[in-house]
Amino acid sequence: MKILVPVKRVIDYNLKPRVRSDGTGVDLSNIKMSMNPFDEIAVEEAIRLAEAGKADEVVVVSIGPAKAQETLRTGMAMGADRAILVETDDEVEPLAVAKILKAVVAEENPGMVIMGKQAIDDDSNQTGQMLAALLGWAQGTFASKVELDSDAVTVTREVDGGLETVKLGLPAIVTTDLRLNEPRFAKLPNIMKAKKKPLDVKSPSDYRVDITPRLKTLKVVEPPVREAGEIVPDVDTLVAKLKAMGAV
Amino acid sequence: MQVYEAPIRDMRFVLDELWVDDGFGDIPALEEFDSDLTSAILEEAAKFSREVLLPLNRSGDEEGCVLENGVVRTPEGFKDAYKQFTESGWASLAADPEWGGQGLPERVNKLVEEMTCSTNLSFGLYPGLTHGGAIALEAHGSEDLKNLYLPKMTSGEWSGTMCLTESHCGTDLGMLRTKAEPQEDGSYKVSGSKIFISAGDHDLSDNIIHLVLARLPDAPAGVKGISLFLVPKYLPNDDGTPGPSNGVSCSALEHKMGLKASATCQMQFEESTGWLVGEPHQGLAAMFTMMNAERLSVGIQGVGIGEAAYQSAVWYAKDRLQGRSLSGAKYPDKPADPIIVHPDVRRMLMTMRCYNEGCRMLGGWVARALDAEKHSQDPEVKARATDFVALMTPIVKALFTDLGHESANLAVQVYGGHGYIRESGVEQYARDARIAMIYEGTNGIQALDLVGRKMGQNTGRLLRSFFHPVSDFIEASKGDGPMKPMIDGLEKALGALQLSTATIAQKGLKDPEEAGAAATEYLRLFGLVAMGYCFARATMISDMKLAFGTEEKEFYDAKIKTATFFFERILPQVSANFLAIKAGKKSMMALSEEQF
């Protein structure tokens, strides 16, 4: 079985994002970029399935700028077999990504798509679900455990009330949550091998997908700075203050 | 707080931009390692250091190593980290692919080493010594020894040590007493005691391969009677697995000032079976193959600690609110300004920054020469590279470790009282960095190596491998542009270095004590000029990038500002060293021994 793993190049999770002074978005100039951590978990899961003999090929795909090749190489250094970059410098919204992925799926015929439940830059949490809808495939989102059989996949989902286990017929979409696994460190020989693994570069027009954004970002602002607290002498003062604020 | 993020942008500046035209490039064997690949390697090394090694740095220091029932136990977490480190291929980074290594260029290897040293110097020693041992074995061992030991030492399954020092002899190895008795089967029985043996015993690897200096029964006295032996902790079975014990034991752990997670052992060899490495009585020369490589790596330890200390100090200087800026409150909304507003705190931070960047640039140049020495097809380039590496080895070792320790000390000062408290983590840097000025030949010995051996070698040919590129650069850069003050400063500093060289050569010929009295200042002066050259080149490249337009304005702008601080506030130390050298040995030797 072939597994397709979409990965996104995002601002490194260790960094504190800064908003551009004109409020049009997050300042990404000269900022360290890395693979979206949820996607890293997806790559790890796919590789583990391949190592367990349950999958025979892992293909990573990214939609984004030329620099996203680095992200794909990271995926291949971890163990993915080959990569596809759908190159575009334009902003792509979840629906456009899902449409491109649908076209990639049509070409590649994977038995399963494993992807991060969301990207840490826009936190959309939509692409997996949209892709499942477009393909008419089953979906197991927020996975904390994935068990693959020949014709079905059992996914333990992290839902608000606890854990929910679903069994999906294949092909299926699985989106990963944080506790699914701990991604490996790439081994040095594999980093070197990754350079020689095949990486195809395509464009959205190759798939005849219109990626024109449907949303307009009005402005982006930094979260308000937390203000200093105040120590009150007694409960009466506290209640009085809360009343004055209209909180009680 | 110990804060560290690998300075990858600065490393890439050294790797990809600074030395493009130094004549040590264009090596076909290294073509594969383009900027994309080396960036990926640096990124992954940075991640590993930050996520695996750094969390064990403080805990390793607190816990230390323990000797229990004759076996040394490393601190919690070290065994796992070592396993991950070796399995991921970091231990065999620069090793020869023939033995299972990755064959990475030294220019990349040294940067990865820096990250290891920044995040966990104690840890770095275990694989570091193994690599050094493997180098000596590769250069001098018999084919049988190489085939049996090198693959396992390269993978890190087996680790290595170098056993030189005995209780009565460190610098003067001619006095050593460990002996080796020839056996009928061609092996030897090695007996004796060694002290200060880093990684002498531990629980990280399946076997420990000691390279031991000892005397044969017919050995002449002094350094000409020392031979090198390979002595494993466990004798290998025919199938290559570790077999019976070989009479090698750790009798005690040294109690050290720092580097506590590195097991420094007193070792006993009791009729342990060993094999000769290289020729009889040529052991010191064979050991020096390892020693020279190690000296460069020890220099890198200085930069590593310096960088970690700097980053931790910057973090604190921005975080610690205390007092107000001398020019009026900078953060009126806060109860006080962060201490980074104060000139004296800036002085410390800028000094550390200059030391780190200066050493990293210079180290990058020497690493390129190491690659050219090993791989260049052009005999002329190869010869020049060999000269340059020989000349710069004592400078890299002594200068980098002196400055690394100074940076660690400055970090403690930036933290004030909190720096003297263990929990802040910066006093560990000062303790850990201290040893690097001592081991692999004290910094005093490095200075003697420079004036006594390297300076005069082949009538000064080694010196030309440095003087020529620097004076060529000065000639080519002269003019009235914005770089004029820097080029003028560099020219004067180089003049002082050349004058000092002549003075020492002249006086030292008649009276070796004169050379000895000038050695330490001369090495520092040399290092300052070399860093000045690096900063001038960096400024020229940064000017150009800014003029042509770049997305990385901040980076190049900071580079120029740092270089300017170096030229205005640090390079002037050249004059002080020059005057001290000129004064000669007289006042140094004047006091009678009784007067002390």
Side-chain angles (χ1 to χ4, degrees):
Chain A
M1 183 207 280
K2 185 193 286 183
I3 299 178
L4 189 71
V5 186
V7 297
K8 186 176 184 185
R9 182 173 185 265
V10 298
I11 180 170
D12 189 80
Y13 72 97
N14 278 306
L15 299 178
K16 190 172 172 247
R18 269 193 305 235
V19 171
R20 271 191 232 122
S21 52
D22 61 3
T24 53
V26 172
D27 187 2
L28 292 178
S29 50
N30 305 315
I31 288 271
K32 182 172 172 329
M33 305 288 280
S34 308
M35 189 189 293
N36 175 35
F38 291 103
D39 299 344
E40 222 181 334
I41 292 170
V43 175
E44 176 67 33
E45 195 64 20
I47 296 165
R48 288 188 190 183
L49 289 169
E51 284 169 348
K54 293 183 174 174
D56 39 40
E57 191 181 24
V58 176
V59 181
V60 282
V61 54
S62 191
I63 299 154
K67 281 259 181 194
Q69 290 199 17
E70 286 171 16
T71 314
L72 291 167
R73 295 272 176 222
T74 306
M76 290 192 282
M78 287 172 72
D81 300 294
R82 59 188 176 87
I84 302 165
L85 172 64
V86 183
E87 190 178 327
T88 173
D89 288 325
D90 298 328
E91 196 186 328
V92 278
E93 289 175 356
L95 184 59
V97 173
K99 284 178 177 174
I100 292 172
L101 289 177
K102 183 190 172 203
V104 175
V105 165
E107 241 176 44
E108 294 284 339
N109 286 313
M112 191 160 64
V113 177
I114 308 182
M115 59 204 291
K117 68 168 183 179
Q118 67 195 64
I120 60 165
D121 52 357
D122 56 19
D123 278 345
S124 293
N125 192 344
Q126 296 170 358
T127 309
Q129 295 87 331
M130 287 175 167
L131 178 60
L134 289 173
L135 289 166
W137 286 12
Q139 57 176 300
T141 51
F142 321 141
S144 66
K145 195 173 174 194
V146 174
E147 288 165 291
L148 182 63
D149 301 321
S150 55
D151 58 348
V153 57
T154 307
V155 177
T156 306
R157 307 180 60 226
E158 296 200 0
V159 292
D160 287 347
L163 298 174
E164 180 191 54
T165 305
V166 292
K167 191 168 180 182
L168 317 170
L170 293 173
I173 310 285
V174 172
T175 76
T176 60
D177 216 319
L178 271 187
R179 279 157 290 270
L180 177 58
N181 61 45
E182 207 173 303
R184 69 193 62 195
F185 293 100
K187 292 186 167 140
L188 188 54
N190 294 346
I191 298 175
M192 289 161 65
K193 273 183 217 147
K195 208 182 158 232
K196 298 186 181 108
K197 290 183 179 174
L199 192 159
D200 283 340
V201 180
K202 307 256 187 165
S203 78
S205 58
D206 290 342
Y207 297 106
R208 293 168 217 267
V209 174
D210 176 14
I211 59 167
T212 316
R214 300 180 169 212
L215 304 173
K216 195 175 161 199
T217 302
L218 299 179
K219 66 172 175 176
V220 177
V221 292
E222 303 247 354
V225 180
R226 199 175 150 211
E227 283 172 28
E230 185 187 339
I231 294 174
V232 291
D234 50 42
V235 176
D236 290 344
T237 324
L238 176 65
V239 174
K241 287 232 174 219
L242 290 172
K243 275 190 177 150
M245 288 165 66
V248 288
Chain B
M1 192 166 77
Q2 296 188 344
V3 178
Y4 180 75
E5 191 63 48
I8 290 191
R9 183 61 191 89
D10 199 51
M11 291 178 162
R12 281 195 22 243
F13 178 72
V14 174
L15 201 55
D16 300 336
E17 299 172 60
L18 186 64
W19 298 112
V20 194
D21 58 347
D22 67 351
F24 294 141
D26 294 331
I27 299 171
L30 302 178
E31 246 169 25
E32 183 194 349
F33 299 95
D34 58 12
S35 171
D36 282 349
L37 179 59
T38 53
S39 286
I41 292 168
L42 291 179
E43 293 284 353
E44 194 64 21
K47 191 169 141 196
F48 190 91
S49 322
R50 183 185 62 226
E51 289 175 21
V52 179
L53 301 182
L54 184 60
L56 297 176
N57 195 38
R58 274 263 300 136
S59 59
D61 181 58
E62 291 289 339
E63 195 183 330
C65 294
V66 191
L67 176 63
E68 265 173 359
N69 308 322
V71 184
V72 176
R73 188 161 42 82
T74 53
E76 174 103 36
F78 270 57
K79 206 176 159 133
D80 271 351
Y82 182 81
K83 193 161 176 275
Q84 284 194 66
F85 187 84
T86 50
E87 284 179 357
S88 299
W90 297 114
S92 53
L93 199 72
D96 195 324
E98 191 187 342
W99 307 110
Q102 311 302 323
L104 244 66
E106 283 296 338
R107 61 194 68 169
V108 183
N109 180 34
K110 288 282 175 277
L111 297 173
V112 176
E113 273 182 20
E114 187 197 311
M115 295 184 202
T116 308
C117 296
S118 285
T119 46
N120 203 324
L121 187 58
S122 284
F123 178 90
L125 243 60
Y126 296 98
L129 280 155
T130 308
H131 183 53
I135 289 176
L137 191 56
E138 196 181 347
H140 305 286
S142 68
E143 286 307 310
D144 283 351
L145 286 181
K146 286 200 252 186
N147 288 329
L148 183 55
Y149 291 95
L150 276 181
K152 291 230 159 72
M153 288 177 81
T154 303
S155 70
E157 284 165 87
W158 294 0
S159 60
T161 75
M162 47 202 283
C163 301
L164 288 76
T165 308
E166 296 178 7
S167 56
H168 60 285
C169 71
T171 298
D172 187 359
L173 288 166
M175 300 196 295
L176 73 81
R177 290 180 195 139
T178 299
K179 49 179 197 189
E181 297 280 348
Q183 306 297 301
E184 278 179 6
D185 65 355
S187 69
Y188 296 81
K189 292 276 179 221
V190 177
S191 302
S193 303
K194 296 280 179 180
I195 61 164
F196 300 172
I197 306 308
S198 298
D201 194 50
H202 55 80
D203 53 1
L204 303 180
S205 59
D206 299 339
N207 201 356
I208 302 173
I209 312 308
H210 303 279
L211 287 177
V212 186
L213 287 183
R215 282 183 187 289
L216 290 165
D218 60 345
V223 289
K224 292 198 167 71
I226 301 173
S227 309
L228 183 63
F229 298 88
L230 179 151
V231 184
K233 178 180 177 183
Y234 299 111
L235 289 165
N237 293 320
D238 288 341
D239 64 355
T241 53
S245 282
N246 188 24
V248 182
S249 61
C250 169
S251 51
L253 280 173
E254 312 285 3
H255 302 111
K256 309 192 297 289
M257 173 182 178
L259 213 65
K260 290 183 188 261
S262 157
T264 310
C265 303
Q266 295 181 16
M267 299 300 297
Q268 309 299 330
F269 296 89
E270 290 162 77
E271 301 211 325
S272 309
T273 303
W275 291 271
L276 188 65
V277 175
E279 298 299 313
H281 316 317
Q282 301 293 319
L284 209 55
M287 193 60 116
F288 261 87
T289 309
M290 176 175 190
M291 197 71 131
N292 277 325
E294 288 293 308
R295 282 180 174 173
L296 291 170
S297 292
V298 172
I300 300 304
Q301 295 178 0
V303 200
I305 292 278
E307 179 66 35
Y310 166 73
Q311 290 190 25
S312 301
V314 168
W315 174 82
Y316 190 75
K318 286 181 178 175
D319 186 67
R320 174 73 168 170
L321 306 181
Q322 205 75 186
R324 287 295 181 190
S325 160
L326 298 174
S327 59
K330 293 275 159 62
Y331 294 83
D333 53 321
K334 291 187 177 170
D337 286 341
I339 60 173
I340 197 166
V341 302
H342 298 297
D344 193 58
V345 174
R346 290 297 190 105
R347 171 186 63 80
M348 296 189 274
L349 296 178
M350 286 305 294
T351 302
M352 297 160 84
R353 189 183 170 101
C354 281
Y355 288 168
N356 294 333
E357 290 187 13
C359 291
R360 188 173 298 119
M361 290 189 281
L362 181 54
W365 190 17
V366 178
R368 285 173 67 90
L370 276 173
D371 287 331
E373 185 183 13
K374 199 165 160 192
H375 298 289
S376 178
Q377 311 271 355
D378 181 339
E380 237 172 85
V381 172
K382 224 176 167 110
R384 189 162 60 83
T386 306
D387 282 357
F388 185 64
V389 171
L391 174 69
M392 298 311 282
T393 297
I395 296 170
V396 167
K397 198 279 179 181
L399 179 79
F400 289 18
T401 58
D402 277 355
L403 299 185
H405 183 253
E406 205 178 317
S407 287
N409 255 336
L410 286 171
V412 174
Q413 196 69 20
V414 169
Y415 275 68
H418 289 283
Y420 201 65
I421 303 287
R422 282 231 293 272
E423 282 76 359
S424 74
V426 288
E427 58 83 49
Q428 184 192 348
Y429 293 139
R431 286 185 288 107
D432 284 0
R434 192 63 187 81
I435 186 61
M437 301 159 72
I438 300 169
Y439 60 21
E440 309 301 346
T442 63
N443 286 1
I445 290 291
Q446 304 302 322
L448 277 183
D449 179 41
L450 179 64
V451 297
R453 210 173 294 151
K454 306 294 168 65
M455 203 171 97
Q457 210 163 313
N458 298 93
T459 57
R461 195 186 72 205
L462 270 54
L463 290 170
R464 290 197 285 278
S465 68
F466 175 81
F467 287 160
H468 283 183
V470 179
S471 41
D472 289 352
F473 173 81
I474 293 171
E475 279 313 310
S477 317
K478 275 189 175 162
D480 286 325
M483 283 211 46
K484 187 173 181 343
M486 234 179 237
I487 299 299
D488 287 351
L490 181 62
E491 189 173 24
K492 264 188 213 145
L494 181 66
L497 176 62
Q498 285 168 325
L499 212 54
S500 304
T501 309
T503 309
I504 295 170
Q506 204 178 20
K507 281 193 196 167
L509 215 56
K510 279 180 255 160
D511 178 1
E513 272 185 5
E514 281 290 356
T520 291
E521 279 90 357
Y522 179 74
L523 187 145
R524 176 58 66 96
L525 203 169
F526 208 127
L528 287 165
V529 175
M531 288 197 290
Y533 171 55
C534 297
F535 273 118
R537 283 181 73 100
T539 304
M540 182 162 282
I541 290 165
S542 301
D543 269 341
M544 215 141 64
K545 295 273 181 181
L546 290 170
F548 283 107
T550 164
E551 284 181 4
E552 298 179 294
K553 247 172 129 168
E554 286 290 308
F555 174 80
Y556 294 108
D557 180 61
K559 189 56 89 184
I560 295 173
K561 286 172 178 161
T562 306
T564 308
F565 180 89
F566 180 87
F567 269 84
E568 291 180 0
R569 306 297 299 242
I570 295 180
L571 193 65
Q573 291 166 18
V574 162
S575 308
N577 284 292
F578 174 70
L579 291 175
I581 292 167
K582 216 174 111 194
K585 74 162 191 181
K586 209 167 162 209
S587 63
M588 196 178 281
M589 306 304 279
L591 228 55
S592 74
E593 283 175 26
E594 290 72 31
Q595 284 175 300
F596 278 98

